[in-house]
Amino acid sequence: MGGAVVASLAVAFLLGVVAQVGYEDTPFLPGLKWRVHDAKRPQPPVLVPGKTFSDPPSDAVILFNGKDLSKWRSVFGGPARWKVENGYMEVMPGTGDIQTMDEFGDCQLHIEWMIPKGTGGSGQGRGNSGIFLMGRYEIQVLDSYENITYADGMAGAVYGQYPPMVNPCRPQGEWQTFDIIWLAPRFDGDKLVRPGYLTLIHNGVVVHYHTPVMGVTGHRRLPTYRPHPPVGPLRLQDHGFPVRYRNIWYRPLKGYDGEPEWRDLTFVIFPNLPRP
């Protein structure tokens, strides 16, 4: 058999291997019903990413489009009364917190905020607001550029629990971004079976990663968990300062292979690991 023929057969064999969509004779992955390279494992859904990291992908739910507050309401009831102009919303001090009509749990959340140039004060009294996941768990918004306050109350802190690992704040008048991965807590009746977990990227910098939130945040008190539904609204705080927000969207997160939610498989895959 000539060399050219052998080479052609080898190429054909390799192309056949490459073209093969999975296998049915490989071992099963630990704790899963799927084999390594399983031919029957479902394909992930296709989406169109945003042109930039700030732009919403095609499966995102837009919470604020820069035009109106139709997807928001006052926490006191009735329409949200914050100002909307130039593509952003701005806290109208004294009108109260606002929250989304949508309720969600596990999610990827994108939100941008700014402390207007010329905002005075110091410490907690300079551009204070907050982002409450599920209406309960606060991520602090504050002018933390060359402004000292208690560490677990600066911008990007899980309020009263964890400071950000670093301070990547920009100065007044510049837009800041929070990209949040949130796994909501789970309850079995009155019993907590999984805390909330937070990953936060502030201006492209990781400041929390898979951090177990200790409970509902609050001022000068210990955090505790109280049972609540698996979904809740996004709430933005009126703390008396004209803080601005724009480009707010989220993506509900599910588990692998179309499962309704993420499952922690650590001790399924590694059963001999010591448990904390």
Side-chain angles (χ1 to χ4, degrees):
M1 185 179 293
V5 174
V6 172
S8 296
L9 290 173
V11 169
F13 173 77
L14 290 172
L15 289 175
V17 170
V18 171
Q20 183 174 347
V21 183
Y23 298 84
E24 296 183 1
D25 60 352
T26 50
F28 283 94
L29 290 162
L32 299 178
K33 62 181 179 180
W34 308 112
R35 299 176 182 274
V36 176
H37 313 314
D38 200 318
K40 297 177 182 177
R41 195 166 189 175
Q43 295 290 311
V46 175
L47 63 77
V48 179
K51 292 183 179 179
T52 72
F53 291 123
S54 291
D55 293 333
S58 58
D59 66 345
V61 178
I62 309 300
L63 295 174
F64 178 62
N65 61 6
K67 298 177 181 178
D68 58 59
L69 293 174
S70 58
K71 293 192 172 184
W72 300 75
R73 62 182 175 85
S74 169
V75 295
F76 300 128
R81 293 189 290 156
W82 292 11
K83 180 169 64 176
V84 176
E85 63 181 15
N86 301 321
Y88 59 79
M89 66 168 85
E90 182 175 297
V91 178
M92 292 291 287
T95 61
D97 295 3
I98 64 173
Q99 66 184 27
T100 58
M101 297 179 184
D102 279 29
E103 295 192 349
F104 47 95
D106 299 357
C107 70
Q108 172 187 350
L109 174 68
H110 177 88
I111 186 166
E112 300 174 15
W113 55 275
M114 178 205 284
I115 309 301
K117 203 166 187 177
T119 298
S122 63
Q124 292 288 295
R126 196 162 95 188
N128 195 323
S129 183
I131 297 165
F132 288 79
L133 302 170
M134 306 181 79
R136 298 171 173 86
Y137 308 100
E138 183 183 7
I139 309 302
Q140 180 71 41
V141 170
L142 189 77
D143 180 6
S144 290
Y145 182 81
E146 299 180 352
N147 177 38
I148 300 299
T149 186
Y150 43 86
D152 60 12
M154 65 186 295
V158 180
Y159 188 72
Q161 299 181 29
Y162 300 99
M165 291 183 292
V166 293
N167 177 6
C169 263
R170 295 183 172 129
Q172 292 181 4
E174 295 188 19
W175 284 102
Q176 321 231 22
T177 62
F178 279 174
D179 287 288
I180 298 168
I181 309 299
W182 171 244
L183 292 177
R186 294 290 190 274
F187 300 89
D188 181 4
D190 292 335
K191 181 182 178 182
L192 178 72
V193 295
R194 187 186 83 188
Y197 285 97
L198 175 83
T199 296
L200 173 58
I201 301 171
H202 181 186
N203 292 335
V205 179
V206 173
V207 297
H208 302 287
Y209 61 94
H210 203 56
T211 298
V213 174
M214 299 178 195
V216 174
T217 53
H219 182 57
R220 298 185 63 183
R221 60 180 173 83
L222 287 173
T224 57
Y225 274 107
R226 295 186 291 273
H228 59 74
V231 296
L234 179 69
R235 185 173 121 219
L236 301 180
Q237 184 184 45
D238 168 13
H239 207 290
F241 297 88
V243 177
R244 296 170 182 173
Y245 292 95
R246 72 177 185 186
N247 196 18
I248 307 173
W249 52 265
Y250 78 95
R251 299 177 59 245
L253 294 181
K254 297 183 178 181
Y256 294 105
D257 307 305
E259 293 182 6
E261 66 179 52
W262 177 83
R263 264 194 317 145
D264 186 351
L265 297 172
T266 303
F267 298 107
V268 174
I269 297 171
F270 305 104
N272 296 323
L273 280 181
R275 294 181 182 245

